[in-house]
Amino acid sequence: MSTPASIPMQGSNASRILTIATHTFTQLVRMKVFYFMGIFAVIAIASNFFDLPQHEGPESVGASVLRSIKSWSLGAMTLFSVVLSIVATALLLPKDVEDRTLYTILAKPVPRIDYLAGKLLGVLLLVFVSLALMDLLMVAVLQIRTTMVVAQQAEMAKAMGWPQDAIDSLRADTLASGPNAALQGAVLAVFLRAVIMASLALLISTFSSSTLFTTIVSFLVYFIGHFQADARDIYLHSGQAGEGLFARLASLLLSLVLPDFQLFNVIDAVIEGQALPLLTMGKLALVSLYYALFFTIASWFVFSDKEF
Amino acid sequence: MFRPPMAENPPAVEIRDLVKDFKTSFRRKPLRAVDGVSIRIMPGEVYGLIGPNGSGKSTTMKALLGLVAPTSGNCAIFGKDSLKVDSRNEVGFLPENPYFYKHLSGAETLRFYGRLCGIGGKILTQRVNELLALVDLEGARDRRIGGYSKGMLQRIGLAQALIQEPRLVILDEPTAGVDPVGSRQIRDLILKLRERGITVFLCSHLLEQVQEVCDHVGIIFRGRMIREGRLEDLISIEDQTDIVLKDATPELLAQIGDLVSKSPGASIVRTGKPRTTLERLFLREIREEEE
């Protein structure tokens, strides 16, 4: 052992956050969370067989199966990403306190915000990698099935004597239902929703005393988020309640604190084959960033005064 | 009594009139865990804080590390306020019964803590190897922590506390739950730290162990410091003297007895054969069995 204090310390906040984030990612990977990928693979492949028999013309061949693959895959991605982001975040912080590993980390020159940011980024890294793998699988299945559907439609259209320009137009329509930029935008939207949920779970876990409480409250907020915009709308437009300044301020405050998940309905539109404008995507990214920052900063305020 | 701090050579630990209250249930009086404790440890000292369970030892250490905020009073490490993050650059901490991340190996654990302290590259690799050798865990470096014994956990805990070469090491019950062999290894490590000039602040309720390694002790009871000072001063019985003889004949002992009885005011308090401790006997037997 060399003489004391001979090691140069060059740790920056970014390097500490990265250390904690990569460690959190490794921790979750070694907890075997990737096993759910097997379930996703089964769902993605099984969704191939939900083809409703409506073979009245070439244009209806395989139309429902492509929608089914996208719907089931994006649904599974949403479920996995939301469950992962809530449960993993809710689990990590109390575990560190219970095992006293948090003492050893905070006894090092680690600011509490670095610890929180590292944990959150680690969970988000895991969700991102999981979504990327699921996306890859979905695109592969969808690509193969789209090629098959295009071939089937062309064959049937030719047999029915369709003109070449009509066959080309049908082919273009079918290809638009396959893997495209809008679908990737929808996957990104799924990730952004997970970002909000993970940061919310982080905030709740800073003052909650159990993983179960954090998980339940987070899921509750998730469900409230899906109808809070409607509820506010009904409240503000019904009778005289919505006319007062107080009601409007209260409604604004609620929307600033509780995320409005109806914004993410664009995912359903993509499943139906609609385009996802860049502007909508940008708006979604900004809103998500706002909620993630708001919840993380609020977590820091609670956590900075917490005693262990 | 506190001496004014010396700017060029601040104490390793300076705790002034520390009071820590914990909120209890609604309407009840807060629980005072630490009540006006003051401790000053100079660089290079090995200080033992002893007291029964629940006397405020761990709370005092946590306040020193900024894990709890003092209700009143203040704590400083090498002159830096404990509530500031930079005070932790020069301190290593081993909590009571630590459980590190079970999914990491011993070497990965040390690398993780090293990176948190801003160490990287070759220096970190070298430091990890050095510490694994120091705590005698080279053979278990790639084994997951989940499979470590209690004694191994304490030793890897001590190694992580030393990763950034701190000038102060804080150990909370370092030998709790460890068998006598593991306990001896940890005590030997503490003695090695002392040889290297590292300040050690440890707390324990195992008095014999504290006596073996510490040069200063404080006795804390119900949150109050009831006695403090140099170990030698505290435990020596001023009006008595030990003489240990080897191969003394009965005649020689009789002569000594005569001499003492002729000396006015002096008397023999006790004679007999010095005894080894049960722990030393245990360690000797184990060693002999191994050989």
Side-chain angles (χ1 to χ4, degrees):
Chain A
M1 206 154 83
S2 47
T3 52
S6 61
I7 288 185
M9 307 266 223
Q10 292 156 349
S12 65
N13 292 59
S15 74
R16 273 189 297 266
I17 291 171
L18 197 67
T19 301
I20 296 171
T22 47
H23 166 263
T24 305
F25 178 77
T26 314
Q27 184 181 10
L28 290 166
V29 169
R30 291 188 186 174
M31 283 163 98
K32 301 183 172 56
V33 289
F34 279 132
Y35 276 13
F36 72 83
M37 287 304 297
I39 304 170
F40 180 79
V42 172
I43 291 172
I45 293 162
S47 61
N48 267 288
F49 301 103
F50 297 118
D51 194 6
L52 298 175
Q54 43 177 323
H55 295 174
E56 288 150 11
E59 72 280 4
S60 61
V61 172
S64 65
V65 78
L66 295 183
R67 196 163 50 242
S68 162
I69 293 170
K70 287 191 282 186
S71 173
W72 279 90
S73 301
L74 283 169
M77 281 183 189
T78 300
L79 180 74
F80 285 133
S81 62
V82 169
V83 169
L84 252 185
S85 56
I86 292 177
V87 175
T89 314
L91 184 80
L92 294 174
L93 219 102
K95 194 169 160 55
D96 274 9
V97 178
E98 204 177 296
D99 293 351
R100 295 193 177 94
T101 34
L102 183 66
Y103 297 176
T104 55
I105 293 171
L106 295 183
K108 299 285 181 205
V110 178
R112 293 189 179 195
I113 182 69
D114 289 10
Y115 172 78
L116 286 180
K119 285 278 165 193
L120 180 64
L121 281 182
V123 173
L124 294 182
L125 191 62
L126 181 88
V127 173
F128 184 82
V129 172
S130 313
L131 281 176
L133 289 173
M134 287 191 272
D135 188 22
L136 211 65
L137 199 63
M138 174 182 71
V139 168
V141 170
L142 199 59
Q143 182 64 53
I144 294 167
R145 196 62 200 240
T146 309
T147 314
M148 282 163 67
V149 168
V150 165
Q152 271 179 298
Q153 284 177 338
E155 200 180 321
M156 191 183 277
K158 266 183 193 162
M160 290 173 79
W162 279 28
Q164 190 55 44
D165 57 339
I167 294 174
D168 288 346
S169 169
L170 178 64
R171 180 186 152 84
D173 282 350
T174 308
L175 286 176
S177 294
N180 55 24
L183 190 65
Q184 294 310 303
V187 176
L188 185 60
V190 170
F191 175 68
L192 290 174
R193 185 161 47 187
V195 171
I196 297 176
M197 286 320 298
S199 49
L200 175 75
L202 183 75
L203 170 61
I204 298 167
S205 72
T206 52
F207 58 79
S208 124
S209 51
S210 76
T211 301
L212 192 67
F213 177 83
T214 308
T215 310
I216 291 171
V217 174
S218 300
F219 275 114
L220 211 62
V221 175
Y222 179 69
F223 289 118
I224 292 171
H226 281 94
F227 61 81
Q228 66 108 332
D230 284 342
R232 277 190 302 124
D233 221 36
I234 292 167
Y235 177 64
L236 290 176
H237 294 101
S238 65
Q240 294 186 340
E243 288 173 16
L245 183 68
F246 175 76
R248 287 187 181 280
L249 279 176
S251 162
L252 180 72
L253 200 69
L254 188 76
S255 65
L256 285 176
V257 176
L258 273 181
D260 173 10
F261 286 126
Q262 283 194 355
L263 296 168
F264 291 88
N265 287 348
V266 290
I267 298 169
D268 298 330
V270 170
I271 293 170
E272 292 305 318
Q274 291 175 29
L276 183 57
L278 211 59
L279 195 68
T280 312
M281 207 53 233
K283 188 182 162 194
L284 215 53
L286 277 178
V287 168
S288 306
L289 189 69
Y290 160 74
Y291 283 119
L293 281 177
F294 174 74
F295 291 142
T296 309
I297 291 169
S299 312
W300 178 37
F301 272 105
V302 180
F303 196 64
S304 60
D305 288 332
K306 205 171 164 81
E307 297 192 324
F308 302 102
Chain B
M1 279 286 281
F2 272 104
R3 285 161 284 173
M6 291 166 285
E8 68 279 4
N9 189 19
V13 170
E14 174 106 79
I15 300 175
R16 284 172 180 263
D17 305 318
L18 177 71
V19 174
K20 180 63 197 170
D21 291 338
F22 286 108
K23 282 178 199 155
T24 49
S25 57
F26 186 60
R27 280 192 194 169
R28 288 178 103 185
K29 252 181 79 177
L31 175 79
R32 181 150 292 187
V34 181
D35 191 2
V37 166
S38 295
I39 297 171
R40 167 181 271 224
I41 307 172
M42 295 310 288
E45 287 180 4
V46 178
Y47 187 101
L49 188 61
I50 56 175
N53 290 333
S55 56
K57 303 186 297 287
S58 294
T59 307
T60 305
M61 288 191 160
K62 283 180 185 175
L64 184 60
L65 288 158
L67 293 171
V68 297
T71 305
S72 68
N74 54 60
C75 308
I77 294 170
F78 291 106
K80 289 175 182 165
D81 186 348
S82 285
L83 293 174
K84 302 270 168 59
V85 174
D86 65 347
S87 70
R88 277 158 240 156
N89 277 326
E90 308 220 58
V91 62
F93 176 52
L94 172 67
E96 187 183 0
N97 297 324
Y99 289 92
F100 298 100
Y101 293 115
K102 286 178 189 160
H103 64 278
L104 296 181
S105 69
E108 284 173 333
T109 301
L110 296 186
R111 270 201 291 276
F112 170 67
Y113 285 100
R115 286 199 192 102
L116 287 183
C117 295
I119 314 165
K122 279 183 189 163
I123 296 176
L124 181 58
T125 308
Q126 189 189 331
R127 186 79 188 127
V128 167
N129 293 338
E130 204 174 296
L131 283 170
L132 285 169
L134 180 79
V135 298
D136 197 20
L137 283 173
E138 284 164 303
R141 61 175 298 140
D142 297 319
R143 205 193 304 168
R144 293 232 175 138
I145 294 268
Y148 275 25
S149 70
K150 183 90 185 160
M152 290 163 89
L153 270 179
Q154 292 292 104
R155 279 184 282 145
I156 201 74
L158 194 56
Q160 71 74 26
L162 295 169
I163 193 75
Q164 85 274 31
E165 299 242 20
R167 286 196 286 160
L168 168 68
V169 178
I170 299 177
L171 312 170
D172 190 357
E173 304 282 3
T175 54
V178 180
D179 66 35
V181 178
S183 185
R184 165 60 62 189
Q185 284 176 316
I186 290 165
R187 268 175 292 163
D188 289 346
L189 283 170
I190 296 170
L191 292 172
K192 274 187 200 170
L193 298 181
R194 182 165 70 178
E195 279 167 25
R196 291 167 206 276
I198 295 173
T199 313
V200 180
F201 180 23
L202 66 94
C203 81
S204 178
H205 55 259
L206 302 172
L207 308 183
E208 197 187 328
Q209 293 174 5
V210 174
Q211 189 176 340
E212 263 188 86
V213 294
C214 296
D215 38 39
H216 285 71
V217 291
I219 303 172
I220 192 168
F221 183 64
R222 291 183 182 159
R224 285 181 167 275
M225 187 69 87
I226 54 173
R227 196 79 191 273
E228 196 195 16
R230 278 185 66 236
L231 182 72
E232 283 302 306
D233 299 343
L234 292 175
I235 61 170
S236 61
I237 304 169
E238 286 301 323
D239 62 349
Q240 293 186 8
T241 308
D242 273 340
I243 301 173
V244 180
L245 303 172
K246 193 181 176 191
D247 297 333
T249 59
E251 292 77 25
L252 177 63
L253 291 174
Q255 281 177 8
I256 293 170
D258 285 346
L259 270 174
V260 172
S261 61
K262 282 175 192 162
S263 174
S267 64
I268 293 176
V269 178
R270 182 183 63 245
T271 57
K273 292 192 184 298
R275 290 177 185 183
T276 183
T277 61
L278 184 60
E279 191 216 9
R280 279 192 209 120
L281 174 72
F282 175 82
L283 290 171
R284 196 179 62 209
E285 293 299 320
I286 291 273
R287 208 170 296 131
E288 280 175 8
E289 195 64 33
E290 278 178 347
E291 282 163 8

